[in-house]
Amino acid sequence: MNQPTLDLMPRDQFAKLSLHDKNAYLQDLADRFAAANDRDHIELDKDALSRLRRYYSRRVWADLKLDEMGGGTLNRALRGLGEAIRSRSIKDDVTAVLMQETNPRRVLRAPPQDDAQLMFFVPTIYDAPIKDDVNLMDVAPFSLSKKAGRGVLKYELKDSLITIEGGAESGMATVFDYDIFLNMVSYLAEEVQQYRRDEKKGLRPTLPPKVYRPNASHILKFCRRSDGGKSYEDLEAALDRLTNTTIKVVNLGGGKRRAVDSRPLISGYSVVSRTGANKIDLIEITIPDWVYTSVVRNEATLPLLTLHQDYFLISSGLGRFIYRLARKAAGKAPARYYVKEVYERSSSTQELRKFSYDLREFVARTQAFPLPEFDLSLEEGREGMLLHMRRRDGYGKADPELLEAR
C-alpha cells in the first residue's frame, strides 16, 4: 500500500526558521506521519532532530545515518519518515536540478548556413487583408501544428463568421506552409510598388500578372530554410495544402446572413520543371482574386504590414501566431489580450488549460531568448490572465503601418 504523502514546507522556507522552530516543525511532521500511517507517537531526541534537520535541508539519505545507528523504534520511525519526505520531494528535486542544469529552449531556430549571403536579396515581407476591416493577422488562417491536421476552424467576429477548412486528403495548411503565401503576397506587393513608381515617371506599365513563377530555391531562401532534399519534398506538400485550404467569410447584417464567399489561400500551382535529381524547380502559383484585388488597388498606399525577417526563424507555431498578433495589435502602442481571447483567435485544438500552460512556458522562454521586436509578459486582470505585448524601443519609428508607393 502506498504511504500517504506529506504536505512539506519548501526547503528555502525551512532554512529561514530558527533552530527551535525547525525542531518544532519536524516533531509536528513526525506526529502527522505517525497518525497518517497508524503508528505510535515517537518523541524525537536531540540526535534524531539533528539528523533530520540535515536531511530535510539537503535530502541526502546518508544524513539520516540509519545504518550507523542500528535498529530500534526511533530509527524505524525515522526511516519511514525519511522515505515519506523523499517520495514527496523527489519530483521537485529532480525538476529543480534539471531547471538549473539545462537552458531554456530557444525561441528562434538557427538560420541555414548560407543565410547571411542570401538575406540581402530577400524582399520585404507582407500580409494581406482578408476583408476591409479584418487582417489575416487578426485570426489564424492555418493550423499551428507542424503537421497537417484535419478539421475546421471557426471565428465569430462582430460582423462576420470566418471558417477555415482544409482538404479531405491534404489536410489544412500549417503556419509553416503559410510562409509560401507570404512569399506570394510579398512578390505581388513589390510588383505593385514598381508599377506605381513607373506610373509616376510617366511610363505606361502593365499591371502585375496573376501568375507568380518562382524557383523553389527562391521560396526556400525567402523562408530562410535549408535547401536539402527534404525541404523540396515538404514544399510540394505545402503547396497542396495551401491550394486545398479555403477561407469562408459570412458577412452579417442585423443578425442575419447577408453575403457569403469562399477564398482559397492560393488558387492552384503547377510544377513547370524539375532538376536532374527530380526536385521541383520552377513553379507557377496562381494568385487568388481576393488577394490580387486587395493588393493591386488604385490607391497611394498598400494596406499591408511588414514582418521582421526573423519571423521565419521562430520555431513554434504558437510563437509565430503570438508574433503576428503583436505585430498587428502592438505596432504603435502596447496591447493586452486575455489569454482566453488569444486562445480563441489562435485556432488551437488544445484544451484552454493546456494552451494556457504552453503560453506561459513560451512567454517565460522569451525572457531569455526575446521574440523579434516585441517583449511579452503575463499579468493578472479582472477576468483572468492577460498577455501584455509591447514593441521594444528602436522599432517602428521609421516603419509606417501603411507602405507608401515610392
Side-chain angles (χ1 to χ4, degrees):
M1 183 175 70
N2 293 333
Q3 293 178 339
T5 58
L6 294 174
D7 182 18
L8 297 179
M9 179 185 294
R11 280 186 292 181
D12 57 348
Q13 185 177 342
F14 180 79
K16 295 177 182 178
L17 297 178
S18 66
L19 178 61
H20 173 78
D21 289 339
K22 285 179 180 177
N23 289 342
Y25 172 73
L26 291 173
Q27 183 62 61
D28 176 68
L29 195 65
D31 293 343
R32 286 190 283 122
F33 174 77
N37 290 275
D38 196 24
R39 293 175 175 271
D40 292 336
H41 166 78
I42 293 292
E43 192 72 32
L44 300 175
D45 62 20
K46 182 178 179 181
D47 179 66
L49 287 168
S50 176
R51 286 186 279 152
L52 200 52
R53 284 197 306 271
R54 287 195 299 272
Y55 174 67
Y56 195 101
S57 298
R58 300 181 345 123
R59 308 281 163 83
V60 177
W61 189 252
D63 284 339
L64 289 178
K65 299 183 179 180
L66 296 176
D67 294 334
E68 298 177 22
M69 304 304 294
T73 303
L74 182 58
N75 263 18
R76 285 196 297 272
L78 282 181
R79 180 180 294 277
L81 180 57
E83 289 283 3
I85 292 173
R86 185 165 65 173
S87 65
R88 170 64 179 83
S89 63
I90 190 168
K91 179 180 178 181
D92 294 337
D93 289 346
V94 170
T95 300
V97 170
L98 292 175
M99 289 294 287
Q100 181 70 27
E101 297 299 325
T102 60
N103 294 321
R105 186 158 47 92
R106 292 181 178 272
V107 170
L108 305 183
R109 63 174 171 80
Q113 289 184 349
D114 56 354
D115 185 69
Q117 290 76 33
L118 296 178
M119 281 310 300
F120 176 77
F121 300 101
V122 174
T124 308
I125 307 149
Y126 308 98
D127 214 340
I130 190 173
K131 56 194 294 283
D132 288 343
D133 58 344
V134 178
N135 189 284
L136 281 173
M137 289 184 177
D138 291 317
V139 296
F142 40 63
S143 166
L144 296 188
S145 173
K146 291 185 178 181
K147 297 181 179 179
R150 301 293 188 269
V152 176
L153 307 177
K154 293 186 177 182
Y155 303 99
E156 187 170 347
L157 307 179
K158 60 182 180 180
D159 64 348
S160 61
L161 301 175
I162 297 178
T163 304
I164 318 293
E165 188 169 3
E169 294 185 8
S170 62
M172 184 180 297
T174 72
V175 63
F176 301 95
D177 300 338
Y178 193 71
D179 292 353
I180 302 172
F181 179 90
L182 292 174
N183 175 246
M184 176 187 72
V185 176
S186 176
Y187 153 78
L188 183 58
E190 293 285 348
E191 291 293 305
V192 170
Q193 287 183 307
Q194 184 59 52
Y195 170 83
R196 292 177 182 171
R197 285 192 289 265
D198 290 344
E199 267 194 325
K200 287 184 178 180
K201 294 177 183 177
L203 303 175
R204 301 179 69 180
T206 57
L207 287 171
K210 287 188 176 181
V211 175
Y212 173 39
R213 293 170 60 94
N215 288 99
S217 59
H218 170 81
I219 294 177
L220 294 176
K221 182 194 307 182
F222 178 95
C223 301
R224 303 186 73 178
R225 301 182 192 176
S226 68
D227 60 355
K230 189 174 186 305
S231 294
Y232 287 87
E233 295 174 10
D234 292 344
L235 184 61
E236 194 163 1
L239 288 165
D240 278 333
R241 290 189 289 271
L242 288 166
T243 301
N244 291 295
T245 297
T246 58
I247 305 173
K248 180 181 177 182
V249 180
V250 180
N251 292 319
L252 303 176
K256 297 180 179 180
R257 295 191 175 191
R258 192 170 60 201
V260 179
D261 65 84
S262 181
R263 315 165 179 189
L265 284 176
I266 64 175
S267 287
Y269 80 97
S270 60
V271 178
V272 178
S273 64
R274 294 182 177 270
T275 66
N278 202 34
K279 297 177 183 177
I280 61 174
D281 184 20
L282 186 63
I283 306 166
E284 282 189 353
I285 299 175
T286 303
I287 302 171
D289 290 341
W290 70 273
V291 173
Y292 190 88
T293 301
S294 68
V295 178
V296 183
R297 54 175 59 185
N298 188 24
E299 296 178 359
T301 58
L302 298 176
L304 306 171
L305 289 168
T306 61
L307 301 178
H308 194 281
Q309 64 185 25
D310 285 348
Y311 165 82
F312 292 109
L313 300 181
I314 299 174
S315 57
S316 74
L318 175 60
R320 287 188 171 206
F321 172 73
I322 295 300
Y323 170 84
R324 291 165 57 81
L325 185 61
R327 183 63 190 89
K328 177 62 165 58
K332 292 181 178 179
R336 292 177 177 86
Y337 286 93
Y338 280 107
V339 170
K340 184 178 180 181
E341 184 178 2
V342 177
Y343 170 71
E344 290 170 349
R345 288 171 175 263
S346 72
S347 78
S348 175
T349 57
Q350 297 176 309
E351 293 181 358
L352 175 59
R353 177 181 56 82
K354 181 63 168 65
F355 177 86
S356 300
Y357 175 85
D358 287 348
L359 180 60
R360 288 195 302 271
E361 192 269 342
F362 178 77
V363 171
R365 282 195 285 130
T366 64
Q367 309 309 304
F369 304 106
L371 197 67
E373 298 186 77
F374 297 95
D375 291 324
L376 306 177
S377 62
L378 290 167
E379 55 191 48
E380 199 66 46
R382 291 183 179 180
E383 300 176 18
M385 195 65 69
L386 283 163
L387 174 64
H388 181 245
M389 302 174 286
R390 183 183 64 83
R391 205 170 194 187
R392 284 194 291 277
D393 294 340
Y395 285 99
K397 293 179 181 179
D399 184 15
E401 296 299 296
L402 296 180
L403 300 169
E404 295 186 4
R406 296 177 176 84

